[in-house]
């Protein structure tokens, strides 16, 4: 019940089968509960997977490989996601929201912070 409530709070609407599946993956001693000792390695593995996913996504979007996303790459990202982005002012607004250094481009760190904020 607690797992279902947690997932619901996070915006998920898990089925009973999904809850059972998640519980079976984390509950290594099969006592029907998730202890801190069981949760910690699962969470660490999730973080590593997420970090790898963010890195791969950034690398794919960084078309020129210079380590930052410029206006053209941001525009291409939204096109790939099939999300309409208006004129250049819209692209600049997106960059402004993501760019924490104020350099007019999105660094990997900026992208990761934005990525994490959009997930949760």
């Amino acid at each position: 019940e607690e797992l279902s409530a947690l997932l619901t709070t996070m915006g998920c609407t898990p089925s009973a089968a999904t809850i059972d599946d998640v519980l079976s993956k984390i509950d290594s001693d099969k006592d029907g509960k998730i202890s801190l000792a069981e949760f910690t390695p699962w969470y660490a593995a999730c973080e590593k997977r997420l970090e790898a996913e963010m890195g791969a996504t950034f690398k794919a979007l960084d078309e020129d490989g210079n380590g930052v996303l410029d206006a053209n790459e941001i525009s291409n990202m939204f096109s790939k996601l099939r999300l309409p982005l208006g004129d250049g002012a819209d692209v600049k607004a997106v960059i402004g929201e993501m760019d924490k250094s104020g350099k007019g481009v999105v660094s990997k760190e900026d992208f990761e912070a934005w990525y994490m904020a959009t997930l949760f």
Side-chain angles (χ1 to χ4, degrees):
E1 291 178 21
E2 290 172 335
L3 183 56
S4 178
L6 173 65
L7 292 173
T8 301
T9 301
M10 294 173 63
C12 301
T13 51
S15 67
T18 299
I19 297 294
D20 290 343
D21 185 50
V22 170
L23 186 60
S24 71
K25 289 177 181 172
I26 303 172
D27 182 22
S28 58
D29 64 9
K30 306 300 179 206
D31 67 353
K33 300 175 185 175
I34 300 173
S35 68
L36 181 60
E38 292 167 324
F39 179 79
T40 302
W42 173 81
Y43 185 80
C46 287
E47 276 195 337
K48 287 183 183 198
R49 179 192 53 77
L50 187 57
E51 288 172 8
E53 183 180 292
M54 284 187 301
T57 301
F58 183 86
K59 186 175 180 179
L61 296 171
D62 183 17
E63 296 166 354
D64 59 11
N66 68 348
V68 295
L69 303 179
D70 60 26
N72 186 51
E73 291 163 329
I74 294 294
S75 181
N76 289 345
M77 174 183 74
F78 277 85
S79 292
K80 288 175 186 176
L81 294 170
R82 293 190 171 110
L83 297 172
L85 205 58
D87 59 14
D90 289 341
V91 174
K92 286 182 181 181
V94 169
I95 290 174
E97 186 176 318
M98 296 171 75
D99 174 24
K100 300 304 178 198
S101 66
K103 295 181 180 177
V105 292
V106 179
S107 69
K108 185 176 181 187
E109 293 78 19
D110 293 337
F111 178 78
E112 289 174 350
W114 172 80
Y115 192 96
M116 290 299 292
T118 61
L119 286 179
F120 303 106

